[in-house]
Amino acid sequence: MSPHIPHYMVIGGGITGLSAAFYLQKRLEAEGAPFRISVVEKSEKLGGKIHTLERDGFVIEKGPDSFLARKKPIINLAHELGLEGELTATNPKAKKTFIVRQGKLHPMPPGLVLGIPTQWTPFMKTGLISPLGKLRAAMDFVLPKRKEQTDESLGHFLERRLGTEVLERVVEPLLAGIYAGDTFKLSLKSTFPQFGAMEQKHRSVILGMMASRKNVPEESAHLPQAVRHSVFVTFKRGLKTIVEGLETALRAGGAELRTGVGVTKVTAAGDGSAAFGGPAKVLFEDGHEEIVDGLIVTTQTYQAAKLLEELPIAEVLRNIDYISVANVIMAFDRKDIPFELDASGFLVPRSEGFAITACTLTSAKWLHTAPDGKVVLRCYIGRAGEQDWPALSDDELVALARRDIRKLLGIEASPLFSEVTRLMHSMPQYPVGHLEKLAEFRAKLAAAMPRVWVTGAGFHGVGLPDCIRQGKEAANALVDRIGVSAEVGSAKETVSAGL
């Protein structure tokens, strides 16, 4: 009888799933054990929300468009895939960012980091905040730190430290681009735990942010020289570069990548009498089933809850809310743009009453995205409390975006073309107490099906680097839990109940 070759499966072919499969492959190769890896994705393409469109000389991101340079997981992955030379930085001549206030664009004062002022003089000069609002923000220097160590909402924390004006006019518009959520419902520990740590260490979040700025050179030391001084980074041919790199590496290692394949249910295989649980059974939409030795689920949490519906603990995943967002991309002739292209874009507070929440001057921020003489910009629609937009047609969404940029930027011309992307139920909202609920979920899932690991943007971070980090963590956790043996070419159980 031929020896059993352990079969590991990843459900979901987005950036988390592909990263999980890649690091699983690397880990198992290093262990020297035989293995088989499959990635199954319901849609016809891999990459999840990453969707780079090349059209008429434009490089257009219909999904995410970049990532924070200081977050190492994606930089490390690019290095492992041999893609470091493809990284590109933002245009140094387009560093300005604006915020809308009373229908006008106001420059964001220098020194703001996630809306927290680190340079006091520019902050005191800005027209975004009233004198009373600035005085309230300054109270952060003298207010005592919070004694309780329990979680609180991001909105309550920022309002408590900096006041309502700074929260509503500066910080909330900035954070809307990350979570599109209601800051008074988002968990501080799950979104920006560093804010709470700064308060505890420095008593003042402003002083803490100022201290952290001193470490910026150290944080960027891992970056290639070409992008070392850029806050945001992408790839010269778009984010599809990282997806294609992962696909190539996985196929070269023998992984099976299946698209257009849907899964309906995941259960324990057999009677579960094996020590600390047996393999998992995966049921597919076409009716067939497969037994796998290890499984990583990387779908959105409400989809994972359906797969694990026989487990009561799946309710934790089902209760995580998601916000739908859209982006409207428009291309123009440069002659039709009545202003200098020396800024990256602007943000729109919800109190301003516009349909769009932000606008990126894409071809000014990223010089590789448009041909000479052309301009491309991207408007964002949708956030918590503003979820009526899905009922509108694409033409109506374009009309709304054109109306707003006409008022704010003075652009009267019709676009050369437009692209609308609807990202339905795509932005997970981490409620207060999110981390504690996830810890309970993981513990109970480990007891019921130890060979199954669930992860992704709905757990511990929505950005591309966060998803890559979670994919790698899932791969290592699964192998550590199951254990492998090169001696007989089969999986063996060396599990720890603490995982």
Side-chain angles (χ1 to χ4, degrees):
M1 180 182 294
S2 60
H4 172 67
I5 298 178
H7 182 192
Y8 299 85
M9 182 175 288
V10 177
I11 299 177
I15 190 65
T16 307
L18 292 176
S19 299
F22 173 75
Y23 285 111
L24 186 59
Q25 182 174 273
K26 286 193 67 174
R27 174 71 183 273
L28 293 171
E29 286 175 347
E31 297 280 357
F35 62 90
R36 174 187 166 205
I37 292 176
S38 300
V39 178
V40 295
E41 165 58 43
K42 185 172 183 177
S43 71
E44 295 298 332
K45 78 172 192 68
L46 297 171
K49 298 183 188 69
I50 295 175
H51 185 180
T52 305
L53 173 66
E54 293 179 283
R55 173 176 175 174
D56 302 330
F58 292 87
V59 178
I60 294 169
E61 298 289 5
K62 293 172 67 68
D65 70 343
S66 59
F67 50 89
L68 283 170
R70 64 178 174 80
K71 292 199 170 186
K72 294 182 180 181
I74 192 166
I75 300 296
N76 293 341
L77 178 58
H79 175 74
E80 291 173 285
L81 295 172
L83 298 174
E84 275 187 301
E86 294 297 312
L87 294 169
T88 188
T90 53
N91 177 13
K93 296 181 180 179
K95 288 188 174 181
K96 292 188 292 187
T97 302
F98 294 84
I99 298 180
V100 177
R101 173 67 182 149
Q102 297 180 334
K104 304 293 182 184
L105 297 180
H106 291 256
M108 191 182 296
L112 284 186
V113 180
L114 294 172
I116 311 297
T118 63
Q119 298 177 26
W120 200 246
T121 299
F123 179 75
M124 293 303 290
K125 292 180 178 179
T126 182
L128 287 168
I129 307 295
S130 72
L132 189 60
K134 293 170 185 173
L135 179 62
R136 174 61 184 85
M139 289 180 64
D140 175 70
F141 289 114
V142 297
L143 287 171
K145 66 182 180 182
R146 182 174 181 251
K147 293 181 180 179
E148 297 83 358
Q149 298 297 307
T150 55
D151 198 7
E152 66 177 314
S153 79
L154 178 61
H156 283 106
F157 173 86
L158 293 167
E159 188 174 56
R160 177 168 60 78
R161 297 304 318 182
L162 302 171
T164 302
E165 276 194 41
V166 171
L167 171 62
E168 293 181 351
R169 299 182 188 179
V170 179
V171 184
E172 191 274 341
L174 277 166
L175 303 186
I178 304 174
Y179 294 100
D182 180 345
T183 57
F184 286 97
K185 294 181 179 179
L186 291 173
S187 158
L188 176 67
K189 288 186 176 181
S190 299
T191 54
F192 294 95
Q194 66 268 38
F195 288 170
M198 288 172 185
E199 179 186 35
Q200 293 304 310
K201 182 176 181 179
H202 299 277
R203 182 181 45 77
S204 157
V205 69
I206 295 177
L207 290 177
M209 190 63 78
M210 288 177 173
S212 73
R213 294 294 291 162
K214 297 176 182 178
N215 299 325
V216 169
E218 295 179 13
E219 291 180 352
S220 63
H222 68 288
L223 293 169
Q225 188 63 41
V227 296
R228 189 162 294 175
H229 302 292
S230 184
V231 175
F232 295 97
V233 176
T234 188
F235 294 90
K236 297 172 185 176
R237 293 178 49 250
L239 290 172
K240 69 175 184 179
T241 302
I242 197 81
V243 175
E244 292 172 350
L246 284 166
E247 286 188 61
T248 299
L250 285 167
R251 293 186 192 280
E256 181 184 7
L257 307 181
R258 302 186 232 165
T259 57
V261 177
V263 175
T264 59
K265 187 181 292 186
V266 172
T267 64
D271 61 7
S273 60
F276 203 59
K281 179 165 64 175
V282 180
L283 288 79
F284 292 82
E285 288 182 348
D286 65 4
H288 90 281
E289 60 185 47
E290 297 180 27
I291 305 299
V292 296
D293 298 276
L295 178 68
I296 299 175
V297 179
T298 67
T299 65
Q300 290 162 317
T301 56
Y302 54 85
Q303 295 169 330
K306 290 180 181 178
L307 299 181
L308 300 168
E309 63 183 1
E310 293 187 358
L311 298 179
I313 194 60
E315 189 69 15
V316 170
L317 303 185
R318 194 175 295 112
N319 289 337
I320 297 174
D321 290 332
Y322 281 73
I323 297 295
S324 298
V325 295
N327 62 68
V328 179
I329 294 163
M330 293 175 282
F332 297 90
D333 282 319
R334 176 65 184 91
K335 62 181 177 58
D336 293 325
I337 306 300
F339 51 84
E340 290 297 317
L341 294 171
D342 59 353
S344 62
F346 61 87
L347 307 166
V348 186
R350 63 174 68 238
S351 60
E352 290 295 315
F354 288 91
I356 64 175
T357 62
C359 176
T360 301
L361 304 177
T362 303
S363 54
K365 184 176 182 179
W366 305 104
L367 294 177
H368 67 282
T369 59
D372 290 342
K374 306 297 180 183
V375 172
V376 63
L377 56 83
R378 167 166 148 157
C379 296
Y380 301 80
I381 294 174
R383 56 186 155 195
E386 298 176 8
Q387 291 292 282
D388 295 334
W389 68 265
L392 301 178
S393 68
D394 285 1
D395 287 344
E396 288 172 321
L397 292 177
V398 172
L400 284 177
R402 288 190 62 196
R403 180 200 67 186
D404 287 357
I405 64 169
R406 186 182 304 115
K407 291 179 180 178
L408 294 168
L409 298 177
I411 299 176
E412 299 285 350
S414 297
L416 301 172
F417 65 83
S418 59
E419 291 279 348
V420 176
T421 305
R422 297 168 180 262
L423 299 168
M424 304 304 297
H425 308 294
S426 60
M427 305 292 283
Q429 306 294 292
Y430 303 151
V432 174
H434 179 69
L435 295 182
E436 290 78 6
K437 291 177 181 177
L438 289 185
E440 178 189 7
F441 168 80
R442 290 210 187 281
K444 291 187 175 180
L445 179 63
M449 287 192 284
R451 293 170 177 264
V452 178
W453 191 272
V454 184
T455 193
F459 281 74
H460 298 294
V462 299
L464 298 180
D466 299 300
C467 291
I468 291 167
R469 169 183 51 78
Q470 292 176 89
K472 183 176 183 179
E473 290 171 351
N476 286 326
L478 189 65
V479 175
D480 288 344
R481 176 176 291 174
I482 296 174
V484 294
S485 172
E487 297 175 4
V488 296
S490 62
K492 73 175 184 179
E493 307 234 336
T494 58
V495 297
S496 167
L499 282 175

